């Protein structure tokens, strides 16, 4: 079980490991699903998940790979929460125009899985 005092950086490796097991067939996980998979306990579980995902986004933006955090979505919708998009814009990874966010997010999710073996060349 993860302690309430854990810092986001302590969870980054676990989050990456969990998300790296996602597949194009079942790509996304909810914030609550990720919190449960990490064994987080209230209070503040979703806030810790969000802070950890933000840390992965910063790392990915600095290193260049697609942002694995794109695979985590809100259970109230089919996309990440607003904070994901705000940070993606701030990191220079997404356009500022909100109408372009869905397409940018969909492209980011696809990029996480890389080129498909069955895609035409």
């Amino acid at each position: 079980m993860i302690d309430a005092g854990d810092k986001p950086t302590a969870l980054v490796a676990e989050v990456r490991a969990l998300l790296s097991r996602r597949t194009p067939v079942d790509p996304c996980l909810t914030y609550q699903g990720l919190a449960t998979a990490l064994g987080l306990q209230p209070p503040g579980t979703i806030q810790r998940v969000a802070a950890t995902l933000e840390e992965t986004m910063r790392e990915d933006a600095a290193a260049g790979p697609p942002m694995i955090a794109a695979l985590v979505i809100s259970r109230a919708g089919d996309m990440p929460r607003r904070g994901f998009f705000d940070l993606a814009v701030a990191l220079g990874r997404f356009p500022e125009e909100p109408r372009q966010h869905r397409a940018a997010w969909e492209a980011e999710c696809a990029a996480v899985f890389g080129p498909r073996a069955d895609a035409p060349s």
Side-chain angles (χ1 to χ4, degrees), residues 85-112:
F85 295 100
D86 292 344
L87 183 55
V89 168
L91 293 170
R93 296 292 288 263
F94 279 21
E96 289 187 31
E97 175 54 52
R99 289 177 289 190
Q100 296 175 343
H101 287 175
R102 177 177 280 279
W105 169 69
E106 289 172 350
E108 196 75 15
C109 287
V112 167

Side-chain angles (χ1 to χ4, degrees), residues 17-30 68 71 113:
L18 283 165
L19 294 177
S20 69
R21 292 194 291 267
R22 305 306 296 182
T23 67
V25 174
D26 186 23
C28 295
L29 187 63
T30 64
I68 200 163
L71 301 182
F113 297 109

Side-chain angles (χ1 to χ4, degrees), residues 49-98:
V49 165
T52 303
L53 291 170
E54 289 172 359
E55 183 67 24
T56 69
M57 291 173 70
R58 287 183 185 91
E59 289 177 2
D60 290 344
M67 295 180 294
I68 200 163
L71 301 182
V72 183
I73 60 171
S74 172
R75 80 175 165 204
D78 62 347
M79 295 190 338
R81 291 181 173 180
R82 177 89 253 140
F84 169 84
F85 295 100
D86 292 344
L87 183 55
V89 168
L91 293 170
R93 296 292 288 263
F94 279 21
E96 289 187 31
E97 175 54 52

Side-chain angles (χ1 to χ4, degrees), residues 7-46:
K7 299 206 182 322
T9 53
L11 297 175
V12 167
E14 289 181 68
V15 165
R16 286 189 184 284
L18 283 165
L19 294 177
S20 69
R21 292 194 291 267
R22 305 306 296 182
T23 67
V25 174
D26 186 23
C28 295
L29 187 63
T30 64
Y31 292 92
Q32 185 60 54
L34 183 56
T36 299
L38 290 168
L40 296 176
Q41 298 294 317
T45 56
I46 301 305

